[in-house]
Amino acid sequence: MRYRNFTINEAGKLDEFVTRLLPTIQGMPFGKRIKAMKCEVDDNADVEQGFPEIRVHVDGKLTDKQTEVLCALATEFPEEIVEGTTCGERLGVRTTVQRKLRSTVVSFRWTGLRKIDVIRPLDIFYSDGTFSPEVDKDKIAEGVVYYVDEKEIRIVSPKLSGKLPWAIGKLVMLSLELPEINPFGIFELDQSLADLDLASKELLAAISAAGLKRSDFPAIEYVDTFVTECVSKGNWHLPLPGDAAYLFSREQRGELSKRLRQFGGRGLSRSCWLGVEYGESKAYMVQLTTANAMIKTQDKIEGLLAIPVARLTWESIENL
């Protein structure tokens, strides 16, 4: 049984838990509220995570006190630090309770305990530091998750710019090396993710070394001065090609656009700049069609959208 980059002893855990759980179930007072209870083991409850899950099905309605007694069993299992990992993985038992009109289901699962372990693509990141798949119009959305792994997530802001040039005034080549990024090909997830923070620092350093001002690069300036409650100035960036592959993939583009529009954004329906240049006069961009997206080059003086994206590490998420 695997979860990301570590394993758990499924059989041993299930045996240990059921041994403790069954006497508690048998000790519950049956009567008007509870007609029957059964324990069901499902070791494929979540295909992505693969954690074993135990569900207690109650034919009847548990009282709050009875629910507390069942859920308290989860605290008897200590958290486990997963050896050999570099991301602070911890494993423990957590419960969920589903109450229906005439029944109750209490589920127990071994799961990752870091905040990042429950974040999924398309979750909404709110200004109070929470993540949720649910739309809450009473909260301020800072971004929508478009990428997540065990170490970081990446979010896109609903507040896209108007049309801005990549550069104005004196056009120079900032980079010492210009990458060849399949400039006219339709892409899917064929670009690796690069370091957003490093790419932005290198661009800004090159602008300064060339004796130019940040205001000579309107699209870059827009994202570099962008700030939200949880993500400070300087931590928002233009997407890189690897980010564009996730933002505009067939699998996510439509749902991401829908999410962004729910919070006043335009959605991902217009061409946008990438944070990579193609020479003195051109930079990379994403050109959209109805069904696909292409990485191409465009004159730096043309006006395209600047899309703020940000990277949050698992450590920073823990401290939100």
Side-chain angles (χ1 to χ4, degrees):
M1 181 70 62
R2 289 202 59 81
Y3 176 69
R4 292 191 174 150
N5 61 337
F6 56 86
T7 60
I8 62 176
N9 183 341
E10 173 191 345
K13 290 292 186 183
L14 290 176
D15 290 344
E16 180 184 1
F17 192 81
V18 172
T19 299
R20 297 191 191 187
L21 184 61
L22 288 178
T24 302
I25 294 176
Q26 292 164 353
M28 289 286 187
F30 285 60
K32 292 182 179 180
R33 295 182 65 90
I34 302 176
K35 298 178 182 178
M37 297 177 72
K38 66 178 181 179
C39 181
E40 175 186 81
V41 177
D42 181 2
D43 61 356
N44 292 302
D46 187 321
V47 175
E48 288 189 6
Q49 295 186 6
F51 278 124
E53 182 175 298
I54 298 173
R55 293 192 286 263
V56 179
H57 293 264
V58 182
D59 183 6
K61 296 180 69 175
L62 289 177
T63 64
D64 290 342
K65 182 62 177 177
Q66 290 168 332
T67 303
E68 287 179 13
V69 170
L70 276 177
C71 292
L73 285 174
T75 63
E76 296 183 16
F77 291 83
E79 296 181 5
E80 297 181 10
I81 303 298
V82 183
E83 296 182 2
T85 64
T86 58
C87 300
E89 284 91 344
R90 305 189 309 280
L91 204 61
V93 178
R94 289 295 181 264
T95 60
T96 57
V97 180
Q98 294 177 291
R99 298 183 185 275
K100 299 182 180 179
L101 184 62
R102 295 184 178 85
S103 64
T104 309
V105 178
V106 181
S107 299
F108 301 80
R109 169 176 291 181
W110 281 268
T111 187
L113 303 180
R114 301 176 305 160
K115 293 180 181 178
I116 196 172
D117 292 326
V118 296
I119 299 172
R120 296 290 177 264
L122 302 178
D123 279 359
I124 302 163
F125 175 46
Y126 291 104
S127 61
D128 61 0
T130 60
F131 293 83
S132 174
E134 304 298 328
V135 174
D136 188 340
K137 291 297 184 66
D138 293 328
K139 293 184 177 182
I140 299 173
E142 296 206 0
V144 179
V145 177
Y146 64 88
Y147 174 82
V148 58
D149 64 20
E150 72 274 9
K151 294 182 179 180
E152 66 173 67
I153 69 165
R154 298 194 180 195
I155 60 174
V156 54
S157 170
K159 296 183 179 180
L160 314 186
S161 74
K163 289 186 176 182
L164 295 173
W166 205 90
I168 57 176
K170 180 184 178 182
L171 299 180
V172 299
M173 188 171 73
L174 300 173
S175 305
L176 296 177
E177 296 181 4
L178 297 177
E180 187 72 19
I181 313 176
N182 186 24
F184 297 100
I186 296 174
F187 68 89
E188 284 299 324
L189 298 182
D190 59 353
Q191 301 287 341
S192 60
L193 285 171
D195 190 322
L196 283 168
D197 301 309
L198 178 61
S200 290
K201 287 179 181 177
E202 289 179 346
L203 269 181
L204 293 173
I207 289 171
S208 177
L212 300 172
K213 297 178 293 184
R214 190 172 53 185
S215 58
D216 295 323
F217 300 83
I220 297 171
E221 182 181 42
Y222 178 79
V223 296
D224 186 58
T225 57
F226 197 76
V227 62
T228 59
E229 186 70 27
C230 293
V231 184
S232 58
K233 185 169 67 174
N235 289 301
W236 290 94
H237 315 280
L238 286 178
L240 298 175
D243 299 280
Y246 284 92
L247 288 166
F248 298 100
S249 69
R250 290 188 182 96
E251 291 79 9
Q252 284 202 148
R253 175 180 159 192
E255 288 301 315
L256 274 174
S257 289
K258 180 180 177 181
R259 290 285 200 192
L260 296 174
R261 290 191 184 101
Q262 286 172 322
F263 289 94
R266 293 193 180 109
L268 303 175
S269 59
R270 300 183 185 180
S271 300
C272 68
W273 288 117
L274 299 179
V276 183
E277 65 176 350
Y278 186 66
E280 288 187 1
S281 61
K282 292 181 181 292
Y284 282 102
M285 51 87 77
V286 176
Q287 184 179 70
L288 305 181
T289 66
T290 302
N292 294 311
M294 295 183 291
I295 293 180
K296 299 183 67 174
T297 60
Q298 181 64 277
D299 291 336
K300 291 178 178 179
I301 60 173
E302 294 294 326
L304 299 177
L305 295 186
I307 299 179
V309 299
R311 168 182 175 267
L312 300 176
T313 65
W314 73 269
E315 296 101 330
S316 64
I317 294 170
E318 289 288 304
N319 294 320
L320 287 173

